[in-house]
mmCIF file of all heavy atoms in Angstrom:
data_model
loop_
_atom_site.group_PDB
_atom_site.id
_atom_site.type_symbol
_atom_site.label_atom_id
_atom_site.label_comp_id
_atom_site.label_asym_id
_atom_site.label_seq_id
_atom_site.Cartn_x
_atom_site.Cartn_y
_atom_site.Cartn_z
ATOM 1 N N VAL B 287 57.114 144.406 128.227
ATOM 2 C CA VAL B 287 56.324 145.036 129.291
ATOM 3 C C VAL B 287 55.440 143.982 129.958
ATOM 4 O O VAL B 287 54.759 143.202 129.279
ATOM 5 C CB VAL B 287 55.454 146.180 128.728
ATOM 6 C CG1 VAL B 287 54.487 146.703 129.782
ATOM 7 C CG2 VAL B 287 56.354 147.304 128.221
ATOM 8 N N ALA B 288 55.434 143.977 131.287
ATOM 9 C CA ALA B 288 54.704 142.947 132.036
ATOM 10 C C ALA B 288 53.333 143.403 132.514
ATOM 11 O O ALA B 288 52.410 142.591 132.638
ATOM 12 C CB ALA B 288 55.536 142.500 133.238
ATOM 13 N N VAL B 289 53.170 144.700 132.782
ATOM 14 C CA VAL B 289 51.914 145.203 133.352
ATOM 15 C C VAL B 289 50.809 145.151 132.294
ATOM 16 O O VAL B 289 50.939 145.716 131.193
ATOM 17 C CB VAL B 289 52.088 146.643 133.864
ATOM 18 C CG1 VAL B 289 50.767 147.177 134.415
ATOM 19 C CG2 VAL B 289 53.166 146.687 134.951
ATOM 20 N N GLU B 290 49.715 144.476 132.631
ATOM 21 C CA GLU B 290 48.649 144.215 131.659
ATOM 22 C C GLU B 290 48.081 145.498 131.071
ATOM 23 O O GLU B 290 47.863 145.593 129.850
ATOM 24 C CB GLU B 290 47.541 143.400 132.327
ATOM 25 C CG GLU B 290 46.476 142.900 131.380
ATOM 26 C CD GLU B 290 47.015 141.881 130.381
ATOM 27 O OE1 GLU B 290 47.921 141.108 130.754
ATOM 28 O OE2 GLU B 290 46.534 141.883 129.228
ATOM 29 N N GLU B 291 47.822 146.494 131.894
ATOM 30 C CA GLU B 291 47.228 147.750 131.414
ATOM 31 C C GLU B 291 48.129 148.418 130.382
ATOM 32 O O GLU B 291 47.656 148.915 129.347
ATOM 33 C CB GLU B 291 46.995 148.694 132.596
ATOM 34 C CG GLU B 291 46.396 150.039 132.186
ATOM 35 C CD GLU B 291 46.294 151.011 133.358
ATOM 36 O OE1 GLU B 291 46.868 150.713 134.437
ATOM 37 O OE2 GLU B 291 45.648 152.067 133.192
ATOM 38 N N ILE B 292 49.428 148.427 130.655
ATOM 39 C CA ILE B 292 50.379 149.059 129.742
ATOM 40 C C ILE B 292 50.505 148.252 128.460
ATOM 41 O O ILE B 292 50.562 148.802 127.355
ATOM 42 C CB ILE B 292 51.764 149.203 130.418
ATOM 43 C CG1 ILE B 292 51.640 149.922 131.771
ATOM 44 C CG2 ILE B 292 52.727 149.947 129.509
ATOM 45 C CD1 ILE B 292 51.025 151.292 131.676
ATOM 46 N N ARG B 293 50.510 146.935 128.593
ATOM 47 C CA ARG B 293 50.608 146.071 127.409
ATOM 48 C C ARG B 293 49.423 146.280 126.471
ATOM 49 O O ARG B 293 49.567 146.282 125.247
ATOM 50 C CB ARG B 293 50.678 144.606 127.829
ATOM 51 C CG ARG B 293 52.034 144.180 128.385
ATOM 52 C CD ARG B 293 51.959 142.852 129.094
ATOM 53 N NE ARG B 293 51.458 141.786 128.243
ATOM 54 C CZ ARG B 293 50.955 140.635 128.700
ATOM 55 N NH1 ARG B 293 50.864 140.429 130.009
ATOM 56 N NH2 ARG B 293 50.536 139.711 127.869
ATOM 57 N N GLU B 294 48.235 146.444 127.033
ATOM 58 C CA GLU B 294 47.042 146.641 126.199
ATOM 59 C C GLU B 294 47.143 147.926 125.397
ATOM 60 O O GLU B 294 46.749 147.978 124.230
ATOM 61 C CB GLU B 294 45.800 146.655 127.091
ATOM 62 C CG GLU B 294 45.429 145.282 127.647
ATOM 63 C CD GLU B 294 44.151 145.327 128.457
ATOM 64 O OE1 GLU B 294 43.552 146.426 128.552
ATOM 65 O OE2 GLU B 294 43.751 144.273 128.996
ATOM 66 N N ILE B 295 47.642 148.983 126.021
ATOM 67 C CA ILE B 295 47.800 150.257 125.306
ATOM 68 C C ILE B 295 48.825 150.110 124.188
ATOM 69 O O ILE B 295 48.600 150.531 123.048
ATOM 70 C CB ILE B 295 48.222 151.379 126.280
ATOM 71 C CG1 ILE B 295 47.120 151.631 127.313
ATOM 72 C CG2 ILE B 295 48.547 152.657 125.514
ATOM 73 C CD1 ILE B 295 47.509 152.598 128.413
ATOM 74 N N LEU B 296 49.942 149.496 124.501
ATOM 75 C CA LEU B 296 51.014 149.337 123.518
ATOM 76 C C LEU B 296 50.573 148.468 122.346
ATOM 77 O O LEU B 296 50.938 148.725 121.193
ATOM 78 C CB LEU B 296 52.254 148.721 124.179
ATOM 79 C CG LEU B 296 52.983 149.593 125.194
ATOM 80 C CD1 LEU B 296 54.048 148.785 125.923
ATOM 81 C CD2 LEU B 296 53.611 150.808 124.516
ATOM 82 N N SER B 297 49.778 147.445 122.621
ATOM 83 C CA SER B 297 49.341 146.538 121.559
ATOM 84 C C SER B 297 48.390 147.213 120.585
ATOM 85 O O SER B 297 48.085 146.664 119.516
ATOM 86 C CB SER B 297 48.678 145.291 122.156
ATOM 87 O OG SER B 297 47.483 145.638 122.841
ATOM 88 N N GLY B 298 47.916 148.421 120.930
ATOM 89 C CA GLY B 298 47.045 149.164 120.028
ATOM 90 C C GLY B 298 47.792 149.896 118.923
ATOM 91 O O GLY B 298 47.179 150.565 118.096
ATOM 92 N N THR B 299 49.110 149.764 118.891
ATOM 93 C CA THR B 299 49.900 150.422 117.847
ATOM 94 C C THR B 299 49.540 149.888 116.467
ATOM 95 O O THR B 299 49.100 148.735 116.315
ATOM 96 C CB THR B 299 51.408 150.203 118.093
ATOM 97 O OG1 THR B 299 52.143 150.813 117.035
ATOM 98 C CG2 THR B 299 51.756 148.730 118.155
ATOM 99 N N GLU B 300 49.745 150.704 115.462
ATOM 100 C CA GLU B 300 49.524 150.292 114.080
ATOM 101 C C GLU B 300 50.706 149.482 113.546
ATOM 102 O O GLU B 300 50.650 148.935 112.450
ATOM 103 C CB GLU B 300 49.301 151.528 113.197
ATOM 104 C CG GLU B 300 48.056 152.334 113.565
ATOM 105 C CD GLU B 300 47.905 153.585 112.730
ATOM 106 O OE1 GLU B 300 48.739 153.759 111.797
ATOM 107 O OE2 GLU B 300 46.986 154.376 112.979
ATOM 108 N N CYS B 301 51.768 149.423 114.331
ATOM 109 C CA CYS B 301 52.962 148.682 113.922
ATOM 110 C C CYS B 301 52.788 147.197 114.230
ATOM 111 O O CYS B 301 51.846 146.791 114.925
ATOM 112 C CB CYS B 301 54.189 149.210 114.671
ATOM 113 S SG CYS B 301 54.458 150.983 114.488
ATOM 114 N N ALA B 302 53.708 146.393 113.729
ATOM 115 C CA ALA B 302 53.702 144.964 114.045
ATOM 116 C C ALA B 302 54.202 144.802 115.474
ATOM 117 O O ALA B 302 55.363 145.103 115.778
ATOM 118 C CB ALA B 302 54.601 144.212 113.072
ATOM 119 N N PHE B 303 53.332 144.322 116.357
ATOM 120 C CA PHE B 303 53.635 144.257 117.794
ATOM 121 C C PHE B 303 53.984 142.822 118.184
ATOM 122 O O PHE B 303 53.156 141.917 118.073
ATOM 123 C CB PHE B 303 52.424 144.752 118.596
ATOM 124 C CG PHE B 303 52.666 144.850 120.073
ATOM 125 C CD1 PHE B 303 53.418 145.895 120.596
ATOM 126 C CD2 PHE B 303 52.139 143.906 120.944
ATOM 127 C CE1 PHE B 303 53.635 146.004 121.964
ATOM 128 C CE2 PHE B 303 52.345 143.998 122.309
ATOM 129 C CZ PHE B 303 53.097 145.049 122.819
ATOM 130 N N ILE B 304 55.215 142.613 118.626
ATOM 131 C CA ILE B 304 55.667 141.293 119.052
ATOM 132 C C ILE B 304 55.807 141.306 120.570
ATOM 133 O O ILE B 304 56.728 141.931 121.109
ATOM 134 C CB ILE B 304 57.006 140.900 118.392
ATOM 135 C CG1 ILE B 304 56.869 140.854 116.873
ATOM 136 C CG2 ILE B 304 57.482 139.543 118.916
ATOM 137 C CD1 ILE B 304 57.336 142.089 116.179
ATOM 138 N N ASP B 305 54.876 140.661 121.242
ATOM 139 C CA ASP B 305 54.870 140.629 122.701
ATOM 140 C C ASP B 305 55.748 139.468 123.168
ATOM 141 O O ASP B 305 55.351 138.311 123.128
ATOM 142 C CB ASP B 305 53.435 140.458 123.210
ATOM 143 C CG ASP B 305 53.325 140.638 124.719
ATOM 144 O OD1 ASP B 305 54.374 140.674 125.384
ATOM 145 O OD2 ASP B 305 52.196 140.749 125.222
ATOM 146 N N LEU B 306 56.970 139.789 123.607
ATOM 147 C CA LEU B 306 57.916 138.761 124.041
ATOM 148 C C LEU B 306 57.607 138.240 125.438
ATOM 149 O O LEU B 306 58.206 137.266 125.880
ATOM 150 C CB LEU B 306 59.338 139.328 124.012
ATOM 151 C CG LEU B 306 59.856 139.754 122.643
ATOM 152 C CD1 LEU B 306 61.166 140.519 122.783
ATOM 153 C CD2 LEU B 306 60.040 138.552 121.740
ATOM 154 N N PHE B 307 56.673 138.892 126.102
ATOM 155 C CA PHE B 307 56.379 138.551 127.487
ATOM 156 C C PHE B 307 55.047 137.823 127.624
ATOM 157 O O PHE B 307 54.966 136.756 128.233
ATOM 158 C CB PHE B 307 56.346 139.835 128.322
ATOM 159 C CG PHE B 307 56.639 139.632 129.776
ATOM 160 C CD1 PHE B 307 57.892 139.915 130.289
ATOM 161 C CD2 PHE B 307 55.667 139.168 130.653
ATOM 162 C CE1 PHE B 307 58.176 139.741 131.621
ATOM 163 C CE2 PHE B 307 55.939 138.988 131.992
ATOM 164 C CZ PHE B 307 57.195 139.275 132.485
ATOM 165 N N GLY B 308 54.021 138.376 127.019
ATOM 166 C CA GLY B 308 52.662 137.928 127.272
ATOM 167 C C GLY B 308 52.373 136.469 127.019
ATOM 168 O O GLY B 308 51.989 135.723 127.918
ATOM 169 N N SER B 309 52.564 135.997 125.783
ATOM 170 C CA SER B 309 52.187 134.620 125.460
ATOM 171 C C SER B 309 53.005 133.614 126.250
ATOM 172 O O SER B 309 52.490 132.580 126.680
ATOM 173 C CB SER B 309 52.365 134.378 123.962
ATOM 174 O OG SER B 309 53.714 134.585 123.574
ATOM 175 N N HIS B 310 54.272 133.913 126.464
ATOM 176 C CA HIS B 310 55.123 132.996 127.220
ATOM 177 C C HIS B 310 54.737 132.982 128.692
ATOM 178 O O HIS B 310 54.765 131.940 129.349
ATOM 179 C CB HIS B 310 56.588 133.395 127.061
ATOM 180 C CG HIS B 310 57.018 133.457 125.625
ATOM 181 N ND1 HIS B 310 57.077 132.339 124.818
ATOM 182 C CD2 HIS B 310 57.393 134.494 124.842
ATOM 183 C CE1 HIS B 310 57.485 132.689 123.610
ATOM 184 N NE2 HIS B 310 57.667 133.991 123.595
ATOM 185 N N LEU B 311 54.369 134.144 129.212
ATOM 186 C CA LEU B 311 53.952 134.222 130.612
ATOM 187 C C LEU B 311 52.680 133.411 130.833
ATOM 188 O O LEU B 311 52.537 132.711 131.845
ATOM 189 C CB LEU B 311 53.725 135.682 131.000
ATOM 190 C CG LEU B 311 53.500 135.960 132.488
ATOM 191 C CD1 LEU B 311 54.744 135.602 133.288
ATOM 192 C CD2 LEU B 311 53.158 137.433 132.698
ATOM 193 N N ASP B 312 51.766 133.488 129.880
ATOM 194 C CA ASP B 312 50.526 132.711 129.990
ATOM 195 C C ASP B 312 50.820 131.212 130.062
ATOM 196 O O ASP B 312 50.189 130.477 130.824
ATOM 197 C CB ASP B 312 49.626 133.000 128.777
ATOM 198 C CG ASP B 312 49.117 134.436 128.775
ATOM 199 O OD1 ASP B 312 49.170 135.074 129.843
ATOM 200 O OD2 ASP B 312 48.690 134.901 127.706
ATOM 201 N N MET B 313 51.779 130.759 129.258
ATOM 202 C CA MET B 313 52.121 129.344 129.267
ATOM 203 C C MET B 313 52.703 128.921 130.610
ATOM 204 O O MET B 313 52.365 127.866 131.155
ATOM 205 C CB MET B 313 53.124 129.037 128.149
ATOM 206 C CG MET B 313 53.544 127.567 128.094
ATOM 207 S SD MET B 313 54.743 127.243 126.787
ATOM 208 C CE MET B 313 53.743 127.596 125.326
ATOM 209 N N VAL B 314 53.584 129.758 131.178
ATOM 210 C CA VAL B 314 54.186 129.445 132.481
ATOM 211 C C VAL B 314 53.108 129.397 133.559
ATOM 212 O O VAL B 314 53.135 128.535 134.449
ATOM 213 C CB VAL B 314 55.273 130.470 132.833
ATOM 214 C CG1 VAL B 314 55.813 130.225 134.247
ATOM 215 C CG2 VAL B 314 56.419 130.399 131.831
#
Side-chain angles (χ1 to χ4, degrees):
V287 172
V289 178
E290 188 66 34
E291 179 185 10
I292 307 302
R293 284 166 58 199
E294 288 183 1
I295 296 173
L296 292 171
S297 65
T299 178
E300 297 177 5
C301 305
F303 185 76
I304 299 98
D305 189 348
L306 297 170
F307 205 101
S309 60
H310 304 294
L311 189 64
D312 293 342
M313 180 181 295
V314 175

